[in-house]
Amino acid sequence: MSRLIRLAVCLVALFAVGEAFAQTPDAEIDETASTASSAPVAHVYIGNGSKILAFSAASNGKLTAVPGSPFNFNISLLGANRYYLFGFLPNSATIESLSMAASGALKKAKTLDTTKFNPVPDCKIDYQQGQGLRIDHAGLELYNAAIPEDFPCKTYYQSYRINDDDGELTFQNDVEGILGGSTGLSVLGNNKFVYSPSCFAAFGNSPVPNVTVFERMGNGELSNANAGVEIPAAPDDTYNPDGGPNPGYFCPGAIATDPTNHAAMVLSALEYTSGQDGGNPNYGPIYIATYTADANGNLKTTSTYKNMATLPVDNLYDGSCLTCSALRMSPSGKILAAGGSVGVLLFHFNGGSPLTKYKTLLAGNSIFSILWDNDNHMYALGTDSKGGGKLWVYTVTPTSVSEATGSPYSIADAGGMYVQALK
């Protein structure tokens, strides 16, 4: 796999819903019930190798351990619909569903081998590239990106109906995507359209920037939409030490959506240097474009490289993004959070208008997962400056930011996370 392909895969995969990391339990979490509220506002699940740690979050953000935690399951924590938690078993394309009790306790429900529905048997599904799933906003359907092992096989996007009685997934249909289709799937706030960004390059050639748009049909199945996503023009590369300025273009990365018809998309600038061994070099900072969707699912933008917010990189020529491990929109759609090796950057999200910088949190700490509940709590999972696993909880609104009671929590070898809001 060329360096460029790896870059494109990472820009999408690192923003995914959850990540699987090996870890061991060492959580300093209160075992007593919270006095802030009689009922939790969310359940927080953290992968722990072959176990899952489970916590209840009170209205003030304070965490307490769920009775019975940790639970003996090992999945990638990628989605939930309030009744069931879903993820892939290790080293496979098999989805396991776990029932979530009112207390937050987990119990095995069903498993499904998604390769059984591969429409092209000669194109083996490659779990090593990292499979991705996404659940629609109503919690009715689960969508899975089935990525093939070999070129020139195409990625197919599968639709499954979720049975709330037992957690079983029923295959509905699949739609053919594009070469180099990604695991990144984002559902528009109105629940009508699904987007999958990709920037695939074969054999070191220039990649093809593309965002595939799917329409959700009345029965929840996906269908290819007659819609597109505008990608702004990139600035010339003035950072190349071997000369310049050289022309470039933007490759799309992760997409985060607000509750209505707006979205934010990560863009990385690449040079036009087709045929170079190792792919096309990236340059400059990472940009975040903002979009408004029309009635047909087209994402339109007024973003340009002159007005877009940026994310830092460690080197302005062929460097790595420092806050590209997590990108999450708050449920209110008013705050966009980006996390990585230099902490968390918060932006005010202004619909289709440019982002505005808000605050920087946890500078000097490394964050690899950010999630929200519906009570303005932001959960940031990562490691502190000494390498210790930590879970930070903040209450974040457009006008104030405060660390929640009890935060941060020590969790040895902190890893993947999923938050199920209960309100």
Side-chain angles (χ1 to χ4, degrees), residues 52-125:
I52 297 176
L53 307 175
F55 310 103
S56 294
S59 59
N60 66 352
K62 188 174 183 180
L63 302 183
T64 60
V66 167
S69 176
F71 297 95
N72 293 319
F73 301 109
N74 183 12
I75 64 173
S76 52
L77 300 179
L78 289 175
N81 73 339
R82 189 156 183 162
Y83 304 106
Y84 296 93
L85 181 65
F86 297 92
F88 288 97
L89 293 174
N91 302 321
S92 78
T94 296
I95 298 174
E96 183 163 84
S97 57
L98 306 176
S99 66
M100 298 185 293
S103 65
L106 298 175
K107 183 178 180 181
K108 183 177 179 179
K110 299 288 184 177
T111 59
L112 178 73
D113 180 4
T114 63
T115 64
K116 293 193 307 181
F117 305 100
N118 182 5
V120 186
D122 291 339
C123 291
K124 183 179 179 181
I125 302 301

Side-chain angles (χ1 to χ4, degrees), residues 325-342:
S325 293
L327 185 78
R328 278 290 175 176
M329 185 81 70
S330 68
S332 68
K334 296 179 180 180
I335 304 292
L336 184 68
S341 60
V342 292

Side-chain angles (χ1 to χ4, degrees), residues 11 25 71 135 137 180 183 188 198 271 288 294 390-391 397 422:
L11 279 173
F71 297 95
I135 295 171
H137 297 309
T183 60
L188 195 64
S198 177
E271 274 190 15
I288 305 178
D294 65 17
K390 289 288 190 295
L391 172 61
T397 73
L422 301 178

Side-chain angles (χ1 to χ4, degrees), residues 80-84 86 134-143 160-164 187-194 216-220 259 418 420:
N81 73 339
R82 189 156 183 162
Y83 304 106
Y84 296 93
F86 297 92
R134 177 72 66 161
I135 295 171
D136 77 294
H137 297 309
L140 300 177
E141 272 79 34
L142 182 150
Y143 302 116
Y160 296 91
R161 169 69 61 154
I162 301 172
N163 188 329
D164 283 343
V187 183
L188 195 64
N190 63 17
N191 220 25
K192 294 182 179 179
F193 297 95
V194 179
R216 294 187 68 248
M217 310 308 289
N219 61 359
Y418 194 82
Q420 174 60 65

Side-chain angles (χ1 to χ4, degrees), residues 229-232 254-258 261-267 287-293 299-304 307-309 329 333 336 347-356:
V229 176
E230 296 178 348
I231 298 179
I255 298 174
T257 59
D258 76 356
N261 65 333
H262 301 107
M265 184 167 71
V266 174
L267 299 173
Y287 295 81
I288 305 178
T290 55
Y291 289 87
T292 300
L299 288 183
K300 299 181 179 297
T301 185
T302 59
S303 294
T304 71
N307 66 14
M308 283 188 280
M329 185 81 70
L336 184 68
F347 299 90
H348 284 121
F349 185 74
N350 307 307
S353 300
L355 298 171
T356 52

Side-chain angles (χ1 to χ4, degrees), residues 12-258:
V12 175
L14 288 177
F15 288 118
V17 176
E19 303 87 358
F21 296 85
Q23 51 186 323
T24 56
D26 186 23
E28 299 173 359
I29 311 291
D30 286 350
E31 298 287 348
T32 58
S34 170
T35 59
S37 174
S38 58
V41 299
H43 289 134
V44 180
Y45 299 99
I46 299 177
N48 187 239
S50 61
K51 299 180 184 297
I52 297 176
L53 307 175
F55 310 103
S56 294
S59 59
N60 66 352
K62 188 174 183 180
L63 302 183
T64 60
V66 167
S69 176
F71 297 95
N72 293 319
F73 301 109
N74 183 12
I75 64 173
S76 52
L77 300 179
L78 289 175
N81 73 339
R82 189 156 183 162
Y83 304 106
Y84 296 93
L85 181 65
F86 297 92
F88 288 97
L89 293 174
N91 302 321
S92 78
T94 296
I95 298 174
E96 183 163 84
S97 57
L98 306 176
S99 66
M100 298 185 293
S103 65
L106 298 175
K107 183 178 180 181
K108 183 177 179 179
K110 299 288 184 177
T111 59
L112 178 73
D113 180 4
T114 63
T115 64
K116 293 193 307 181
F117 305 100
N118 182 5
V120 186
D122 291 339
C123 291
K124 183 179 179 181
I125 302 301
D126 183 8
Y127 65 82
Q128 293 181 351
Q129 290 193 31
Q131 302 303 304
L133 63 84
R134 177 72 66 161
I135 295 171
D136 77 294
H137 297 309
L140 300 177
E141 272 79 34
L142 182 150
Y143 302 116
N144 174 51
I147 297 180
E149 185 176 83
D150 297 318
F151 179 84
C153 295
K154 294 184 179 181
T155 297
Y156 281 78
Y157 295 85
Q158 304 171 332
S159 302
Y160 296 91
R161 169 69 61 154
I162 301 172
N163 188 329
D164 283 343
D165 291 332
D166 58 7
E168 186 173 15
L169 298 176
T170 301
F171 178 77
Q172 297 195 113
N173 80 319
D174 57 49
V175 286
E176 185 177 343
I178 60 171
L179 289 174
S182 76
T183 60
L185 291 170
S186 296
V187 183
L188 195 64
N190 63 17
N191 220 25
K192 294 182 179 179
F193 297 95
V194 179
Y195 302 88
S196 181
S198 177
C199 201
F200 177 74
F203 309 115
N205 295 319
S206 289
V208 180
N210 180 72
V211 180
T212 304
V213 185
F214 304 106
E215 183 176 1
R216 294 187 68 248
M217 310 308 289
N219 61 359
E221 294 181 1
L222 291 182
S223 175
N224 283 309
N226 185 23
V229 176
E230 296 178 348
I231 298 179
D236 287 346
D237 177 14
T238 59
Y239 305 100
N240 187 344
D242 296 327
N246 297 319
Y249 56 95
F250 278 131
C251 268
I255 298 174
T257 59
D258 76 356

